[in-house]
Amino acid sequence: MSLDLLVRPRRLRGSTALRALVCESRVETDALIYPLFVQEGEDDTPVGAMPGVLRRSLRSLLQECREVRALGLRAVAVFPCISPEKKDATGSAALDPEGLLPRTLRALKEAVPDLAVIADVALDPYTSHGHDGILDASGQDVANDATVDLLIQQALLEAEAGADVVAPSDMMDGRVGAIRRGLDAAGVSHVPILSYAAKFASAFYGPFREAVGSKTGHNALSKATYQLDPANTHEALRECRLDETEGADILMIKPAGPYLDVIRAVTEHTSLPVAAYQVSGEYAQIHAAARLGWLDYRRTRDESLLAIRRAGARMIFSYFAGEIARERARKT
Ligand code: PBG
């Protein structure tokens, strides 16, 4: 039998060529931001739960950055792994101009000048307790305003070391405006702020915390006192609006895959570029299922990124960025 149909949507799906013509979303190589970990010394060490991800020596980081830039990637985000004996309660290593991150930024800008480098602003890689800020006298809370004072100095140090973008990921109130004023007053008004505007208190950060050694451990204080409740969209919009008013240049939602609705809502409420961070746990999930033979690795990986792009993110932080750039270079 044949149906009397004028409209047959399948017509446009009939060939690779037609499907490519009507394709609405693509994950361009230049929309990907590649997060990398750097450590002291000459060795690279693997990160548990993140197959293929390494804590790299400076030399290995520079080599990786040269390679991926040659393949078309435009931006990396660099996270330092500080040895435990350099950590203290106030994260003082964050303000050392000769610290691991400033040295890495300077070396990177010299080695690969046209690769944009994004530097996190937050104290968690440097604090002995793993929180993003310093604790108040009671030890029961992160002290908001005192933390912001330090974040301004940290952001300035990063900008002066060559960071192309500073990215506050700490979720303290008022930090975007304070950092903007601090940078401007110091004559670095050209450095944009990519704000982790809607950063949720997520279980999906687990593997990252192992990578930088920022597990909050036995400390009863929860990051939920500063990061967003995963249940809340309105509150995420409020944070985004505030950061925009305070002078943020790019708004980020994090994690990405489990928060596609938030990405969509934010893109509808702002004219700023929106970024999303496909976090360590999202990466781990795909690898784990693929290892068990339960999911097709590449197809799942590519679909996970496409979904984030479709939801409205202009740029995506993803640990898959390096290998995707490599695969694409092989194909062309
Ligand atoms: C913290 C920071 C975190 C991530 C990026 N910056 C983790 C946290 O808040 O504990 C997570 C990234 C990931 O899971 O991939 N300043």
Side-chain angles (χ1 to χ4, degrees):
M1 78 144 203
S2 90
L3 298 172
D4 179 20
L5 288 183
L6 272 177
V7 179
R8 290 182 182 269
R10 287 189 58 200
R11 278 196 286 263
L12 290 178
R13 299 178 203 140
S15 69
T16 309
L18 288 178
R19 288 194 295 272
L21 284 176
V22 300
C23 176
E24 297 177 40
S25 313
R26 289 192 170 83
V27 181
E28 307 88 337
T29 305
D30 32 24
L32 293 174
I33 297 161
Y34 186 19
L36 291 163
F37 299 105
V38 65
Q39 66 182 1
E40 302 280 5
E42 295 304 315
D43 298 329
D44 289 354
T45 46
V47 177
M50 298 182 78
V53 174
L54 299 168
R55 274 175 291 239
R56 295 172 184 274
S57 66
L58 178 55
R59 182 208 300 259
S60 149
L61 180 100
L62 294 178
Q63 185 52 29
E64 179 73 355
C65 287
R66 274 191 211 99
E67 283 179 34
V68 296
R69 176 65 200 106
L71 302 174
L73 279 186
R74 296 203 180 274
V76 295
V78 182
F79 296 96
C81 316
I82 305 296
S83 56
E85 64 273 11
K86 291 207 172 135
K87 300 188 183 189
D88 58 25
T90 59
S92 58
L95 301 183
D96 177 2
E98 293 310 313
L100 176 60
L101 186 65
R103 276 187 282 122
T104 303
L105 294 171
R106 288 192 287 266
L108 244 179
K109 289 317 292 181
E110 197 181 316
V112 207
D114 64 343
L115 183 71
V117 184
I118 303 173
D120 240 49
V121 183
L123 299 181
D124 56 303
Y126 308 96
T127 51
S128 40
H129 43 71
H131 281 289
D132 291 41
I134 55 176
L135 305 183
D136 67 9
S138 72
Q140 302 305 303
D141 196 11
V142 172
N144 191 90
D145 301 12
T147 294
V148 171
D149 267 344
L150 298 175
L151 299 175
I152 299 170
Q153 300 173 50
Q154 185 187 20
L156 186 56
L157 187 74
E158 293 171 347
E160 285 173 341
D164 295 279
V165 177
V166 293
S169 68
D170 55 287
M171 291 297 282
M172 294 301 113
D173 291 337
R175 92 276 204 216
V176 170
I179 291 170
R180 181 74 275 154
R181 284 199 180 84
L183 293 177
D184 292 357
V188 278
S189 54
H190 59 283
V191 173
I193 297 178
L194 184 160
S195 157
Y196 286 64
K199 176 171 181 180
F200 290 88
S202 172
F204 286 92
Y205 307 148
F208 175 98
R209 290 184 188 162
E210 185 210 307
V212 303
S214 66
K215 285 212 174 85
T216 43
H218 304 298
N219 194 323
L221 174 57
S222 156
K223 291 205 175 193
T225 60
Y226 43 103
Q227 301 176 347
L228 287 170
D229 184 338
N232 296 354
T233 310
H234 283 115
E235 199 180 353
L237 288 171
R238 182 178 187 219
E239 284 284 3
C240 288
R241 208 179 310 118
L242 266 172
D243 286 4
E244 182 164 355
T245 327
E246 291 179 28
D249 299 280
I250 300 171
L251 299 175
M252 196 217 281
I253 319 304
K254 176 184 175 190
Y259 295 85
L260 297 180
D261 56 326
V262 179
I263 296 173
R264 168 55 53 197
V266 170
T267 58
E268 283 170 2
H269 282 81
T270 183
S271 50
L272 291 182
V274 171
Y277 198 139
Q278 183 181 52
V279 301
S280 55
E282 299 177 72
Y283 179 88
Q285 255 182 333
I286 291 173
H287 271 282
R291 283 198 170 183
L292 287 165
W294 290 355
L295 287 173
D296 180 274
Y297 175 69
R298 282 196 189 163
R299 291 189 56 207
T300 313
R301 176 196 70 191
D302 292 349
E303 188 175 328
S304 73
L305 289 164
L306 187 64
I308 297 165
R309 193 79 175 80
R310 190 194 62 235
R314 169 65 211 124
M315 62 201 97
I316 307 173
F317 287 67
S318 172
Y319 300 97
F320 294 121
E323 69 176 50
I324 289 178
R326 289 194 165 89
E327 280 173 26
R328 288 179 178 174
R330 251 177 263 130
K331 263 187 228 148
T332 51

